[in-house]
Amino acid sequence: MDETRARPAAAPRDTPSRQRVLIIDDEESLRLLFARVLAGELGVEVELAGTAEQALRRAKTCAYDAILLDLLLPGMGGIQLLDEIRKASANVATPVSVVSVLADAETKNRCLAGGANAYLAKPVAPALLAATVREQIAARGRKPDRRT
């Protein structure tokens, strides 16, 4: 599955628009897991990208409310992609949460210094993932739905 859009089952009729989250990870199973968690817990619309190139194409043309970014991507790495997103895209100020197996302090500090808003080590608990994205969206002034 290259580029995919995942949506929650049914949108509340009184919601004028959904928040949109871009999930960038080369592992399809993780993209789908993260999409299920965020759509189910927050009611957000999710778009998926499996490569940095796909993600950059999307980020240049579509403004998101939050972005989840894996660092270990084929081709362009996640840190370089973060830099590209911050330089010239519709998402210069969009909160980016890095979700990576690289859990060392140096990598975390490089990402945060390079413009990431949060850093989560894999495996990440679904509740922590949802809470982090919820906080990032709320910081932008758009409240995601809380599903219970």
Side-chain angles (χ1 to χ4, degrees):
M1 184 181 296
D2 288 42
E3 296 179 75
T4 309
R5 186 173 299 204
R7 296 179 189 218
R13 291 182 185 229
D14 60 345
T15 302
S17 66
R18 286 193 183 279
Q19 295 85 19
R20 292 166 35 144
V21 177
L22 176 62
I23 298 173
I24 308 160
D25 198 303
D26 61 327
E27 292 189 39
E28 181 180 19
S29 62
L30 288 176
R31 287 193 309 267
L32 295 174
L33 173 64
F34 294 165
R36 269 195 317 274
V37 168
L38 297 180
E41 293 292 318
L42 306 180
V44 297
E45 179 180 326
V46 176
E47 293 188 20
L48 309 174
T51 68
E53 291 74 19
Q54 291 169 353
L56 196 53
R57 278 195 310 271
R58 288 184 177 272
K60 284 184 175 182
T61 61
C62 180
Y64 294 95
D65 295 290
I67 296 173
L68 292 181
L69 172 62
D70 181 26
L71 293 181
L72 301 176
L73 298 168
M76 181 189 312
I79 292 176
Q80 183 181 356
L81 176 58
L82 174 60
D83 186 52
E84 292 296 319
I85 289 171
R86 290 296 188 225
K87 274 197 243 178
S89 79
N91 295 282
V92 171
T94 299
V96 175
S97 298
V98 171
V99 184
S100 179
V101 296
L102 302 175
D104 62 282
E106 182 181 339
T107 301
K108 177 181 178 180
N109 291 337
R110 278 182 63 204
C111 290
L112 295 173
N117 300 84
Y119 194 97
L120 302 171
K122 291 178 186 174
V124 60
L128 178 59
L129 181 72
T132 300
V133 173
R134 181 182 291 115
E135 289 171 11
Q136 298 299 322
I137 293 173
R140 284 191 62 138
R142 294 187 70 191
K143 304 287 186 200
D145 293 338
R146 174 169 258 174
R147 306 271 181 193
T148 54

